[in-house]
Amino acid sequence: MQTDPKPGTLYIVGTPIGNLEDITFRAVRILQNVDLIAAEDTRHTGKLLQYFQVKTPQISYHEHNRTSRIPELLEHLHGGKAIALVSDAGMPGISDPGYELVKACVEVAIPVVPIPGASAAITALSAAGLPTDKFVFEGFLPAKSQQRREHLEALQTESRTLIFYESPHRLRETLQDLAEVWGSDRQIVLARELTKLYEEFWRGSIGEAIAHYQQKEPQGEYTLLVAGNPPSETLLTEEQLKAELQQLMMQGISRSQASRQLTKYTSLNRRQVYQIALSIVMNSE
């Protein structure tokens, strides 16, 4: 049933992630009939609006002006205007500052209405060939390698399919960190240029992905889907873990290598296992 946008309502409007035909009839109608469109990049959204002959005025709302813009948008909404929030691609609020505007509206009882659309994470997951019954969306990993590795270590024992976004200029570093923390045998799918002319799904192990992108220059925005770490049938207690670590270290295996080997046999992540290994060395001195 078609209804006109209601006064004083924020509409979260999904836009195409590549192919313009993926926009919904409802999304176009809402964009045509709201009073104002809050866009991440007004020039980018302007091209979309021009294509669908939408003449609604825009106002910028992005990471760098959100603090000052939210009160202004709330004032418009309190004044009875209907506003559509859009990002450059996909569903607003997913890995962008849209969440903060939605939260501000919810706090003052302004109605928020989602207009569903494409999402790179779900689009990639549907065709990846990895388990889809349970998954974790992590968005963009930290830009700095040390922080990125620490974040990956915290996800070491995650058994669900993991989904990340990554830029082309950081892809090789991220793959190296994935191999260092999770091992090179874990299965990974790299999806790029989704819904566009050169859409591509690359499937293989993390180690194979590293080799592939040593030969090929990363291009386009990537969605990374990584197989979860299947739970081990045998979980060691902390005392058993200490005994196994000590035995491996007595064989000349380094603390780091021993920790990596035994992480899959415990509910602890590699950093926690490493700390136990470190305490064993300290206690034996």
Side-chain angles (χ1 to χ4, degrees), residues 15-136:
T15 56
I17 59 175
N19 193 319
L20 295 181
E21 294 180 359
D22 290 337
I23 199 167
T24 68
F25 292 119
R26 185 185 181 200
V28 172
R29 181 174 56 79
I30 292 295
L31 293 175
Q32 288 173 334
N33 291 291
V34 291
D35 300 296
L36 193 63
I37 296 172
E40 185 177 0
D41 184 333
T42 55
R43 292 170 299 179
H44 181 90
T45 299
K47 297 175 183 178
L48 176 72
L49 300 182
Q50 183 178 14
Y51 184 87
F52 288 103
Q53 300 180 0
V54 175
K55 302 186 184 300
T56 306
Q58 295 187 76
I59 185 172
S60 66
Y61 172 77
H62 48 71
E63 179 71 25
H64 303 293
N65 73 354
R66 68 188 190 283
T67 302
S68 60
R69 193 66 88 192
I70 287 177
E72 183 179 352
L73 293 171
L74 290 178
E75 185 176 349
H76 285 307
L77 289 162
H78 280 304
K81 289 188 175 181
I83 297 178
L85 174 67
V86 300
S87 64
D88 287 348
M91 285 300 294
I94 309 300
S95 291
D96 72 32
Y99 153 75
E100 296 184 23
L101 176 59
V102 172
K103 181 173 181 287
C105 288
V106 170
E107 288 176 348
V108 294
I110 290 174
V112 178
V113 177
I115 311 297
S119 167
I122 300 301
T123 300
L125 178 66
S126 69
L130 295 175
T132 59
D133 55 334
K134 295 179 181 179
F135 60 90
V136 180

Side-chain angles (χ1 to χ4, degrees), residues 179-248:
E180 173 64 25
V181 178
W182 292 352
S184 59
D185 294 333
R186 188 90 69 96
Q187 291 298 296
I188 186 171
V189 178
L190 294 95
R192 58 179 289 273
E193 298 295 283
L194 288 169
T195 77
K196 300 178 184 178
L197 180 62
Y198 297 106
E199 176 181 276
E200 178 185 34
F201 283 82
W202 186 96
R203 300 173 176 87
S205 69
I206 293 173
E208 290 169 338
I210 292 172
H212 176 75
Y213 281 101
Q214 285 175 344
Q215 304 297 323
K216 180 178 179 179
E217 189 69 26
Q219 293 180 325
E221 298 298 319
Y222 285 83
T223 301
L224 276 57
L225 305 102
V226 188
N229 185 25
S232 171
E233 294 182 2
T234 304
L235 289 180
L236 300 176
T237 66
E238 187 166 330
E239 288 303 316
Q240 291 171 329
L241 183 61
K242 285 182 178 180
E244 291 292 334
L245 283 167
Q246 190 166 25
Q247 185 174 359
L248 288 173

